[in-house]
């Protein structure tokens, strides 16, 4: 029984993104570890753990909650612009 744990900064993923992530990781586990057997999905456990931004560090950089909020606003604006361009 595989157990997959995903760690992320709180607020980085919206509920739809979490659902998609859970589904795709389950698909990958079925394909690889379960040899494509759809019954294997019943034994796949996936957990998304969210921590405050201040609990993270990358190359010595420790983001603040405000910096994460700015990043998300920019990311969401870019996604909206791309969606409008695709129409």
């Amino acid at each position: 029984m595989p157990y997959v744990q995903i760690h992320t900064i709180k607020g980085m993923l919206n509920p739809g993104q979490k659902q998609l992530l859970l589904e795709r990781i389950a698909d990958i586990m079925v394909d690889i570890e379960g040899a494509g057997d759809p019954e294997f999905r019943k034994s796949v456990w996936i957990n998304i753990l969210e921590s405050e931004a201040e609990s993270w560090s990358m190359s010595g950089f420790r983001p603040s909650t405000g910096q994460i909020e700015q990043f998300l606003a920019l990311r969401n604006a870019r996604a909206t612009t791309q969606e409008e361009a695709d129409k």
Side-chain angles (χ1 to χ4, degrees):
M1 166 174 50
Y3 181 83
V4 179
Q5 205 168 49
I6 301 160
H7 295 259
T8 188
I9 295 173
K10 188 175 184 177
M12 291 294 286
L13 300 171
N14 66 39
Q17 290 170 319
K18 289 178 191 177
Q19 184 62 37
L20 186 59
L21 187 59
L22 293 169
E23 290 170 8
R24 289 192 180 174
I25 289 175
D27 290 343
I28 290 168
M29 295 304 295
V30 168
D31 289 345
I32 296 172
E33 188 173 348
D37 180 3
E39 286 295 309
F40 186 76
R41 182 178 298 276
K42 295 176 183 176
S43 68
V44 177
W45 287 79
I46 304 167
N47 183 20
I48 299 175
L49 296 172
E50 296 179 293
S51 302
E52 296 297 329
E54 291 81 4
S55 297
W56 289 81
S57 176
M58 183 175 75
S59 300
F61 173 71
R62 294 187 62 209
S64 68
T65 299
Q67 288 169 317
I68 294 301
E69 289 170 355
Q70 288 175 344
F71 167 80
L72 292 172
L74 180 60
R75 182 185 74 183
N76 294 339
R78 285 182 181 160
T80 300
T81 301
Q82 184 61 45
E83 287 173 5
E84 291 172 358
D86 291 342
K87 289 181 183 179

